[in-house]
């Protein structure tokens, strides 16, 4: 299911309230002061998990490239791009498929 951009970017999130709550913790207060513009994404848990795994020992352009390959091969076309594939769409991907897409050996 496609998520609207505003929902994905959590544009309705009350960041002032979040910062106030998080600032009660000393470590979080320092993090807020260091990076006050960080925002929350409403990213699907499965997509978050897979992209985190992909991110290990990779740089941002490489992570994007690998995620794009997954979407193009197994995701659903949405306009002129592809959605990140669901667990069901990824269920039958083989080790050889990952090798063919140039994924690191963690897969």
């Amino acid at each position: 299911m496609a998520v609207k951009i505003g929902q994905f970017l959590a544009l309705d999130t009350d960041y002032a309230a979040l910062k106030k709550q998080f600032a009660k913790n000393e470590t979080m207060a320092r993090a807020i002061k260091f990076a006050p513009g960080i925002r929350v994404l409403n990213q699907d848990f499965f997509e978050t998990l897979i992209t985190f795994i992909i991110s290990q020992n990779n740089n941002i352009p490489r992570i994007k490239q690998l995620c794009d390959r997954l979407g193009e091969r197994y995701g659903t076309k949405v306009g002129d791009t592809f959605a990140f594939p669901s667990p069901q769409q990824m269920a039958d991907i083989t080790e050889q498929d990952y090798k063919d897409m140039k994924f690191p050996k963690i897969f």
Side-chain angles (χ1 to χ4, degrees):
M1 173 170 70
V3 177
K4 294 179 182 176
I5 294 291
Q7 290 173 311
F8 181 75
L9 296 176
L11 297 178
D12 60 346
T13 299
D14 184 350
Y15 286 100
L18 280 177
K19 286 181 180 182
K20 184 177 179 181
Q21 179 66 31
F22 291 159
K24 294 176 184 177
N25 176 283
E26 183 181 328
T27 301
M28 291 300 290
R30 286 194 313 268
I32 291 166
K33 185 175 181 181
F34 176 78
I38 289 180
R39 297 293 182 250
V40 175
L41 296 178
N42 283 326
Q43 188 174 19
D44 174 76
F45 173 77
F46 180 74
E47 181 179 354
T48 303
L49 175 64
I50 298 301
T51 55
F52 173 76
I53 293 169
I54 291 169
S55 73
Q56 304 307 295
N57 299 313
N58 277 303
N59 56 48
I60 292 173
R62 176 95 169 113
I63 296 164
K64 182 179 181 329
Q65 182 182 56
L66 293 172
C67 290
D68 287 347
R69 284 183 190 156
L70 275 174
E72 290 165 5
R73 287 195 182 193
Y74 302 101
T76 303
K77 189 161 178 62
V78 179
D80 61 351
T81 190
F82 292 87
F84 194 86
S86 68
Q88 295 79 13
Q89 290 170 308
M90 291 182 65
D92 295 325
I93 301 175
T94 66
E95 183 177 352
Q96 186 60 50
D97 293 330
Y98 285 112
K99 286 179 183 178
D100 292 347
M101 289 186 286
K102 309 288 191 242
F103 271 73
K105 289 191 175 215
I106 58 169
F107 281 91

